Amino acid sequence: MYTTRTSSFLLIISVAIVSSCVVVSGQLPPTGQALLEQNADRVLGLPGQPPVSFSQYAGYVTVNESHGRALFYWFFEAAKSPKKKPLLLWLNGGPGCSSIGFGGLEELGPFVVQKGESKLLLNKEAWNKAANLLFLESPVGVGFSYTNTSTDIKQLGDKITAQDSYTFIRKWFKRFPQYKTHEFYIAGESYAGHYVPQLAELIYDNNKNISEQDRINFKGIMIGNALLDDETDQTGMIDYAWDHAVISDRVYHDVKTKCNFSDPKSSTDCDIALGEYFQVYKLIDMYSLYAPTCVDVNSSSTQRTHMHGNVSPIIFSKHKEWHSKPTGYDPCQSDYTESYLNKPNVQAALHANTTKIPYPWTHCSDAITFWNDAPASILPIIRKLVAGSIRVWVYSGDTDGRIPVTATRLSLRKLGFKTIEEWSPWYSKNQVGGWTIRYDGLKFVTIRGAGHQVPTFKPKEALELVRHFLSNQKLPSVPF
């Protein structure tokens, strides 16, 4: 007779066997509180979601108990063999923009919101084909992440963002101990050129001072179209615009002669010259020069902001066009995402907005209007990580005018690294996917025809890129 007692006994034996197998394979099985928290965060299904074979989780991790600061995450296990795949954390920038909105639902996550419907489509080139994929809305005030201490918003900056993200990671591993031994990587784009290296530095430094069992198995970072150095980023924007026939010779000459991008204090003449430079980006998309703009009369896409507050570079940050939002193949895609994430049944399925935040979810936070600290250059951190044998890849979509390939090449030149493998093409099947160069400790890759959000514009090439980054393999140098 199959009794309840028999069932319970078999369950205990099954758990013991599974736990034993997991430990042998290097995994740490979730038990007790961790198992309860995982089960509470498990997403059983989303409105309009197609069936999938992988598990997903979403919820909050409190990073400061006394202030009530909590960061929202969305996690997708790898589509196949999650126990054997690395863990990749993705961060979007801003500062103040959502990683689940841009990265998760419009770039590299498994789902994309369908136009005109509360329905999700599968992303065939999702990065959870290569890794276990974790998205984080950071800092507090972004997306569903919140604080119960209103003054926290006025204290935001690079340092607190990095510290809260580090606290999140450590606590997340306690909730998901089975991933603690996996190789851990961080990737991101745009202002994540600050976020990713700064978080990496914290992990790298703290790993030296904590017990072995508490260390994070941190291996590398990958940053795309990334804000790295104020002087070269701004110089590169102007050079790129002129070289791509966006601005006239006169405007180019005026900016070059009246602006000193190594000096954070701009003159009135420089402001006037930059005003003319930005005029053209009212007509075309700065984030993808050859993509269409959203012409839906009901769209709010062109009104949202992608960068906020008085962040570096200071000279450019005065101009509202500097903060405009990137767009993808469907320039109105962000409207569909915003509509979907504001639906109560979607939020309930994601265990989001549990505190009833008094404002709607948006891609970029309107509350973050001040940024407390931002170093003029991230290059010293890059040098430190490379010296510490942390894998560093930098990539650039070459049709982005916001942080163009020109700016990134100027920034990397400042590092002064020795060239190991010269500039050469890499291939995605029979076509040139872009160009790559390997320096002593760092690899730079371009993605041909991609805008600011590379996975949106070139999804196949982007998936190929991340696969080779995670395996630390050379990109294909011949057609295949």
Side-chain angles (χ1 to χ4, degrees), residues 309-449:
N310 191 20
V311 297
S312 61
I314 295 174
I315 295 176
F316 272 52
S317 67
K318 295 178 181 181
H319 300 266
K320 64 181 181 180
E321 292 81 10
W322 165 262
H323 308 285
S324 44
K325 184 196 73 67
T327 55
Y329 278 124
D330 184 340
C332 304
Q333 182 64 49
S334 291
D335 290 325
Y336 321 146
T337 302
E338 189 160 311
S339 174
Y340 185 80
L341 288 177
N342 275 300
K343 293 182 181 299
N345 59 342
V346 172
Q347 294 181 2
L350 286 172
H351 320 117
N353 198 15
T354 53
T355 58
K356 304 302 176 187
I357 300 169
Y359 47 81
W361 183 95
T362 58
H363 282 78
C364 299
S365 173
D366 293 328
I368 299 176
T369 57
F370 175 81
W371 200 248
N372 194 49
D373 62 281
S377 180
I378 297 295
L379 298 181
I381 299 178
I382 299 294
R383 288 191 186 95
K384 178 179 178 179
L385 296 174
V386 168
S389 298
I390 299 299
R391 189 180 312 159
V392 179
W393 283 31
V394 179
Y395 68 90
S396 184
D398 63 11
T399 68
D400 175 28
R402 173 58 183 82
I403 306 179
V405 63
T406 308
T408 302
R409 293 176 79 175
L410 289 172
S411 296
L412 295 181
R413 187 185 298 172
K414 268 190 175 183
L415 289 170
F417 291 159
K418 180 182 177 182
T419 299
I420 304 300
E421 291 182 11
E422 257 298 349
W423 191 260
S424 58
W426 68 273
Y427 287 84
S428 178
K429 293 191 176 179
N430 293 317
Q431 300 295 325
V432 173
W435 308 88
T436 182
I437 183 170
R438 185 164 71 90
Y439 299 103
D440 186 11
L442 182 148
K443 180 170 283 190
F444 175 55
V445 182
T446 73
I447 298 84
R448 191 165 65 99

Side-chain angles (χ1 to χ4, degrees), residues 86-90 127 131-134 184-187 466 469-470:
L87 174 66
L88 177 68
L89 171 66
W90 175 267
W127 285 16
N132 298 286
L133 196 52
L134 178 60
F184 179 62
Y185 298 88
I186 315 171
V466 73
F469 162 70
L470 294 171

Side-chain angles (χ1 to χ4, degrees), residues 118-250:
S118 293
K119 184 177 180 181
L120 298 175
L121 302 176
L122 280 177
N123 176 6
K124 295 180 181 180
E125 312 298 336
W127 285 16
N128 75 325
K129 290 188 174 183
N132 298 286
L133 196 52
L134 178 60
F135 296 94
L136 176 64
E137 292 197 302
S138 176
V140 292
V142 174
F144 294 124
S145 296
Y146 68 89
T147 176
N148 293 328
T149 306
S150 59
T151 54
D152 281 350
I153 301 298
K154 296 296 183 183
Q155 305 300 318
L156 293 178
D158 282 12
K159 289 181 180 178
I160 194 171
T161 300
Q163 185 57 60
D164 279 359
S165 295
Y166 177 67
T167 301
F168 165 85
I169 288 298
R170 294 195 66 184
K171 288 193 169 187
W172 190 89
F173 276 128
K174 290 181 179 178
R175 189 174 300 183
F176 290 85
Q178 67 267 41
Y179 288 99
K180 184 68 167 58
T181 58
H182 287 227
E183 290 189 346
F184 179 62
Y185 298 88
I186 315 171
E189 67 192 11
S190 195
Y191 198 79
H194 280 221
Y195 289 165
V196 173
Q198 288 171 328
L199 175 56
E201 182 182 34
L202 264 184
I203 295 172
Y204 175 77
D205 288 344
N206 284 313
N207 270 355
K208 297 177 181 178
N209 304 313
I210 57 180
S211 64
E212 186 175 351
Q213 66 179 27
D214 289 330
R215 289 173 195 157
I216 295 170
N217 189 17
F218 178 53
K219 297 297 182 181
I221 65 171
M222 184 170 71
I223 45 178
N225 293 85
L227 196 73
L228 294 174
D229 182 90
D230 288 1
E231 179 188 3
T232 49
D233 286 339
Q234 293 175 108
T235 299
M237 285 182 71
I238 300 303
D239 290 350
Y240 184 88
W242 179 81
D243 194 49
H244 284 72
V246 171
I247 56 175
S248 68
D249 291 356
R250 182 187 60 78

Side-chain angles (χ1 to χ4, degrees), residues 2 98 103 153 194 256 277 281 303-304 363:
Y2 192 79
S98 167
I153 301 298
H194 280 221
K256 282 290 192 177
Y277 158 81
Y281 290 121
Q303 300 304 315
R304 292 197 207 96
H363 282 78

Side-chain angles (χ1 to χ4, degrees), residues 47-63:
Q49 178 198 302
V52 294
S53 59
F54 54 83
S55 297
Q56 56 177 317
Y57 301 82
Y60 288 96
V61 172
T62 300
V63 295

